[in-house]
Amino acid sequence: MFNLEAKFRLPDHAAAQAAAIAIGYQPEAVLTQRDTFFVVASGKLKLREEARDGARHAYLIGYGRVEREGLQLSEYRMVPVPDPEAMRSLLAGTLGVLAIVAKRRSLLLCRNVRLHLDEVDGLGTYGEIEAVVPEGADPEAERAFVDATLAALGVSREQLIEGSYFELARA
């Protein structure tokens, strides 16, 4: 699977949510997430543990990114993990832990696009857009809606941030 993504600082989540709703986004959920990143030879591998509406879920997510004119194209695979504690222990012992990122995420949806309003422990408030690219489709076809969302939020291309939250924490 592929998605086209953009990450940016976003100090006013309430204003951003109002602007997103005005262009068609709908609030979906508030999530508490912990991402444990592991040392790998290429790309990124993380175990995402997530609490949503009282339910807990976990996924092992492997991905790689390529930048395309300020936006990033990610190819990823997700596998459900029924026992996250055992998986975290196994991967930590065999691969090593690179970083742990904890965040509170408000999720808004419009069409095939996810807007995340994130409060990241130790980093602050951010926004992230992920446009899921349908299989066989051109990722560039999603760019116009991502650009429209960024414009509605008052975010310019120069404000886009590359990398993961743990990479921002290291900078």
Side-chain angles (χ1 to χ4, degrees), residues 1 37 48 78 88 137 140:
M1 294 177 58
F37 290 83
R48 168 161 292 160
M78 290 178 56
R88 188 177 346 95
E140 292 303 311

Side-chain angles (χ1 to χ4, degrees), residues 2-97:
F2 289 92
N3 66 23
L4 193 60
E5 24 181 285
K7 185 177 294 166
F8 41 91
R9 281 199 176 277
L10 195 60
D12 188 345
H13 279 179
Q17 181 163 331
I21 289 170
I23 62 167
Y25 280 87
Q26 296 296 315
E28 176 70 16
V30 175
L31 314 167
T32 302
Q33 296 179 332
R34 179 175 68 184
D35 292 339
T36 304
F37 290 83
F38 300 97
V39 178
V40 292
S42 66
K44 293 183 175 131
L45 180 67
K46 67 183 171 189
L47 175 64
R48 168 161 292 160
E49 297 171 79
E50 180 176 276
R52 175 182 183 164
D53 300 327
R56 301 187 78 69
H57 305 279
Y59 304 92
L60 193 59
I61 305 170
Y63 62 99
R65 289 186 175 144
V66 176
E67 185 177 350
R68 282 193 172 185
E69 298 177 30
L71 301 180
Q72 296 191 21
L73 180 65
S74 292
E75 181 174 13
Y76 65 96
R77 292 188 61 200
M78 290 178 56
V79 177
V81 175
D83 187 347
E85 293 81 14
M87 181 64 75
R88 188 177 346 95
S89 177
L90 172 69
L91 293 175
T94 57
L95 299 175
V97 173

Side-chain angles (χ1 to χ4, degrees), residues 8 15 19 44 53 68-69 72 100 106 110 112-113 119 123 128 139 149 157:
F8 41 91
K44 293 183 175 131
D53 300 327
R68 282 193 172 185
E69 298 177 30
Q72 296 191 21
I100 297 173
S106 295
C110 185
N112 61 321
V113 180
E119 298 173 28
L123 272 183
E128 182 178 64
T149 301
R157 291 235 180 217

Side-chain angles (χ1 to χ4, degrees), residues 99-110:
I100 297 173
V101 174
K103 63 185 170 288
R104 183 175 178 273
R105 170 171 280 179
S106 295
L107 170 64
L108 294 93
L109 300 176
C110 185

